[in-house]
Amino acid sequence: MTFSSVFLTFVPSYAGLSAKDGTRRRYMGQALDRRSITFSTRRLSRVDSSVTMCAEGASGKSIDFSEVNLAEAGKACLGMIFRPEEDSEDQITDSRCNIGWSQPLQDAINNQINVEYTASYVYHALWAFFQRDTVALPGFAQFFLDQSDEERTHATQLMTYQTKRGGKVVLKPVAVPSIAFDRLNSISDAQFAVDLHLQLEKFNYAKLREVHRVAQSHDDPQMQDEVEKYLAEQLDAIKQAADLLAQIKRCGTGHGIYHIDRVLSQHHK
């Protein structure tokens, strides 16, 4: 048999007329208006429901599902209120996806964005330094360019996270690094730069710990999970910087630096 149209209707006994006695029942014990809907479980213990399938030219058939105890199932929705958003030129909505994203949390993320951009700026300056014709260490130059790109990527990711949580990105001034190394006590510019790199990664790790503590104090487990991903990356970066510094000190400042530069050139292309 072919029907031209099929309608599915869900008919719970508490809405409108009862399927059994035709009497009116009050909707879940709450008066409704056009501005809000409140879910409650008062005065409701048992509801019979059915799905009715109707088609043109055919008699209605019903499939009776198992009984649903909304008094028990509805407890999770107790106190939930729906208020539709009103269209108004005077009303400006800051965010529709903000769920407990308080100002201290926003400030912590914005501060970390500034830390990431500052680190990227320093590494970019180091890249330019090792690119100079009087320095000519392309391996170290590419290494610090990769570090700069990584920190800038972290800043972009944090900005994306800020907007996803319903916050506002507020960019702050970035410190301008002045890169000029004095070769004192036989310390090479490469060793000095890698030592600076190690200290900067440790500083970044400490700042991420501060952001994590803010998330803990405001009971935001999702933000804690987000920050912990960066903490794990920082540990790897600190170990990498410490290893490179140890290798430079072991090889010396002459041909050893040239050899390490060749190795960096192969790994950072």
Side-chain angles (χ1 to χ4, degrees), residues 9-267:
T9 306
F10 176 67
V11 187
S13 62
Y14 61 79
L17 295 175
S18 169
K20 295 183 178 181
D21 55 18
T23 60
R24 301 290 294 182
R25 295 188 180 180
R26 192 179 184 188
Y27 177 66
M28 301 181 76
Q30 291 291 325
L32 306 181
D33 58 31
R34 64 180 182 86
R35 296 178 59 86
S36 67
I37 298 176
T38 302
F39 292 84
S40 178
T41 59
R42 291 182 299 168
R43 300 171 57 187
L44 184 61
S45 60
R46 178 176 173 273
V47 173
D48 296 328
S49 60
S50 64
V51 172
T52 304
M53 302 178 63
C54 303
E56 290 185 11
S59 59
K61 295 182 179 181
S62 64
I63 302 174
D64 189 14
F65 286 85
S66 60
E67 298 179 352
V68 180
N69 187 348
L70 289 184
E72 183 67 26
K75 287 182 179 180
C77 296
L78 197 63
M80 185 172 69
I81 300 176
F82 168 71
R83 292 188 177 89
E85 181 177 318
E86 297 181 356
D87 295 330
S88 174
E89 296 181 357
D90 298 332
Q91 182 180 4
I92 300 177
T93 302
D94 290 336
S95 174
R96 293 183 177 88
C97 61
N98 189 326
I99 305 178
W101 193 238
S102 61
Q103 192 61 46
L105 298 176
Q106 295 185 42
D107 293 341
I109 292 296
N110 284 329
N111 289 337
Q112 187 60 32
I113 291 172
N114 182 257
V115 171
E116 301 291 343
Y117 269 130
T118 300
S120 176
Y121 214 28
V122 172
Y123 292 144
H124 219 169
L126 287 170
W127 163 77
F129 173 81
F130 287 104
Q131 280 282 95
R132 295 172 57 185
D133 65 290
T134 56
V135 181
L137 291 174
F140 281 93
Q142 189 60 46
F143 171 79
F144 284 114
L145 182 61
D146 291 346
Q147 298 301 317
S148 177
D149 292 343
E150 180 180 333
E151 301 301 341
R152 189 165 59 253
T153 298
H154 289 168
T156 302
Q157 291 172 346
L158 289 171
M159 293 169 73
T160 301
Y161 181 75
Q162 178 80 282
T163 56
K164 182 167 65 175
R165 292 296 303 269
K168 292 182 178 180
V169 174
V170 179
L171 298 181
K172 301 179 180 182
V174 177
V176 180
S178 177
I179 304 300
F181 301 137
D182 295 327
R183 294 189 176 94
L184 301 176
N185 300 323
S186 299
I187 298 178
S188 70
D189 44 14
Q191 179 178 330
F192 196 96
V194 173
D195 197 356
L196 174 63
H197 166 49
L198 174 60
Q199 301 308 318
L200 193 55
E201 293 300 320
K202 288 182 176 180
F203 175 77
N204 201 340
Y205 181 81
K207 300 303 289 185
L208 284 169
R209 288 285 304 273
E210 292 181 7
V211 177
H212 192 271
R213 282 193 289 270
V214 173
Q216 284 181 316
S217 64
H218 287 79
D219 193 23
D220 195 313
Q222 202 287 321
M223 180 177 172
Q224 294 177 49
D225 291 342
E226 186 72 16
V227 175
E228 285 168 4
K229 294 187 298 184
Y230 296 101
L231 286 171
E233 290 186 22
Q234 283 303 120
L235 288 179
D236 293 336
I238 291 171
K239 179 60 166 61
Q240 180 190 50
D243 288 350
L244 183 57
L245 182 59
Q247 292 169 1
I248 292 175
K249 290 186 175 183
R250 182 181 295 274
C251 292
T253 59
H255 185 270
I257 293 296
Y258 176 79
H259 175 74
I260 293 177
D261 184 74
R262 296 297 90 193
V263 174
L264 290 175
S265 297
Q266 295 175 1
H267 288 84

